[in-house]
Amino acid sequence: MINWQEISDLHVISKLEEILSKWFGVEQIYSDMHYKIRSGHVDKGYEFKNHFFKVQMQMNHGYNYMGQDVEKVTDALEGEDDKARSFDTFFKHVKGVGAKVEIGGEVLGSVFAYPFVSNSITEEEVEEIKKHMISEGANEADASAAVDGLRRLFPREVEYLQELVELVADEIKTFHSEISKRETRIKELNSELGDKYRYHMMIGKSKGMQQIYRLLEKISSSESSVLIQGQNGTGKELVAKAIHFYSPRKEKQFVALNCSAFNDNLLDSELFGHMKGSFTGAIKDKAGLFEVANGGTLFLDEIGDTSLSMQVKLLRVLQEGTYLPVGAQGPKKTDVRILAATNKDLKAMMASGEFREDLYYRINVINVNLPALKERSEDIPILMDHFLKKRCDESGTPMKQFSKKCMEVLLDYHWPGNVRELENEIERLVVLAGDDKMITPDLLSPRILESGDKPIAVARGINTNGSLKEALEELEAMMIKEGLKRCNYNKSKLSKELGVSRASLIMKVDKYDLDKRKKAAGE
């Protein structure tokens, strides 16, 4: 079943409705598989854009007249192709356009654009419509204003109208299919969260994460230094812990330190320790982390924030396995495996003299580069479910679930804070939902809601003030652009989705200059 309320709330649908009203003077109407009108036209207080339709719906049997047209047209469309068709309505000479919404061979509803008249209509036919409306209960003034306000469309304009109604039907089908896929994915999460999609405390089934899992399996048993790179919130410390707990050192200490949290003097003391009396406040000997982690693993996060003098000391540990505590007379030995992480471009820092080249090559024996969450979007539903269950279990509340609209907004958000931002948002939602089982979109953070308000479908940023031809071309370009991303630039697959030949699609891709791979290659 299609959720028609969610369909009405879609930005692309409301944008197309605006276009239909502005250019053709018609209302956009939906009906379900039982011929029942599902758009807001039957709601009390609905603001009609078309005066003729408003007068009709105020008649005693106006709804029934529209229902008869819906049933007649829907039955006529069944068995035909997916093209929109114009039709004659209950009021003779008044016309509409309809298209079916067929998914999986089953007609789940229809879309209509109504009403208008042909540009060739005669004055006698206009008077005939007015008399018919009066006979059905409209007063003379309303009937006259309603009929005179009908847009008179040329044959080519009717063709454009049909194309737009087909677009609406296609968008409904695409949205319904995507939501169905997402629901299926959510239902499969429990089985998907097995060993195949986990590595230690990391979760992800995307190709990028699977490659990282395979790399970690190879390097965990070695003693080589590892440099973990990635944006903030991508899980660099989780990778370091996974390397340690799958290594021969797993029975020893794993110690983590954020280098950016200390100035040079404090960092020196934290890493190498100090002797009693070595500085004011040093009332006793203190073991540094190189001593604490001896035999185990030391994870140095944000190593790019260390000073050049500190880099020299770290290099000595890596080269010789010795270090000098603050105030000590002689060096101490240590046996630690160094794992380092940064979100900075260390190569650029080397070029500018901010990071030592010799240290870089010492810590970067093996490199692990973590993808941003937006680059592994297929992992978002799995992570959402994992964090939701985790927070519900921790708070002792029954398992909650996301509404369809809430899930849609979360899946479409770009997550600049990566996995950490996603986890924090889920925790926030669990708290705000309270005793409610359903998590609704009104609970989402303002930044996410504002992002969700941005156009996310083919009509993104469409300009409704230009010519009809230009707007249709812009819609076409947007659909193809979004489709190319969705199909990973597989033109054969996209041509089938769009119902055009592959040759035609390639021509349009070239026409709108949409092939990013050619641009990347410098063609």
Side-chain angles (χ1 to χ4, degrees), residues 22-53:
K22 181 174 181 178
W23 287 344
F24 305 102
V26 295
E27 298 270 359
Q28 184 170 285
I29 305 160
Y30 319 115
S31 71
D32 62 18
M33 60 195 301
H34 303 297
Y35 315 117
K36 184 177 180 180
I37 294 176
R38 288 295 187 175
S39 43
H41 300 85
V42 296
D43 297 339
K44 186 177 181 180
Y46 180 82
E47 294 184 10
F48 289 85
K49 302 174 185 66
N50 182 281
H51 189 57
F52 183 96
F53 196 24

Side-chain angles (χ1 to χ4, degrees), residues 266-383:
L266 289 175
L267 184 59
D268 200 328
S269 177
E270 283 293 317
L271 286 173
F272 308 118
H274 62 256
M275 309 305 293
K276 179 181 177 181
S278 58
F279 54 85
T280 303
I283 59 176
K284 61 179 180 179
D285 291 352
K286 177 189 174 183
L289 296 185
F290 275 105
E291 183 175 344
V292 173
N294 189 36
T297 304
L298 178 58
F299 173 54
L300 300 177
D301 198 6
E302 305 301 346
I303 196 171
D305 291 336
T306 55
S307 67
L308 289 172
S309 60
M310 179 56 65
Q311 291 170 28
V312 173
K313 296 178 180 180
L314 292 174
L315 182 63
R316 180 181 180 183
V317 179
L318 286 165
Q319 288 178 329
E320 303 173 10
T322 63
Y323 64 96
L324 186 67
V326 178
Q329 297 300 311
K332 286 188 174 184
K333 284 190 169 291
T334 185
D335 172 27
V336 295
R337 183 182 187 183
I338 298 293
L339 307 177
T342 183
N343 62 352
K344 293 188 174 181
D345 186 345
L346 294 186
K347 288 186 177 179
M349 292 179 68
M350 283 194 297
S352 63
E354 298 174 85
F355 200 87
R356 293 182 62 95
E357 185 175 354
D358 45 7
L359 177 60
Y360 174 79
Y361 289 113
R362 280 287 182 177
I363 63 175
N364 193 31
V365 176
I366 299 171
N367 185 274
V368 178
N369 205 321
L370 291 177
L373 186 55
K374 65 183 178 182
E375 296 169 3
R376 43 180 288 219
S377 57
E378 62 192 283
D379 291 335
I380 294 176
I382 299 175
L383 290 166

Side-chain angles (χ1 to χ4, degrees), residues 388 400-403 405-407 409-410 424-450:
L388 183 63
K400 301 181 185 299
Q401 66 182 80
F402 300 101
S403 70
K405 183 64 177 178
C406 183
M407 183 168 63
V409 176
L410 288 172
N424 291 341
E425 182 65 20
I426 301 304
E427 179 179 0
R428 178 181 179 277
L429 290 172
V430 171
V431 172
L432 294 181
D435 295 330
D436 294 337
K437 181 180 179 181
M438 186 68 68
I439 297 176
T440 53
D442 58 291
L443 300 177
L444 292 168
S445 297
R447 70 182 185 282
I448 297 178
L449 284 174
E450 289 167 7

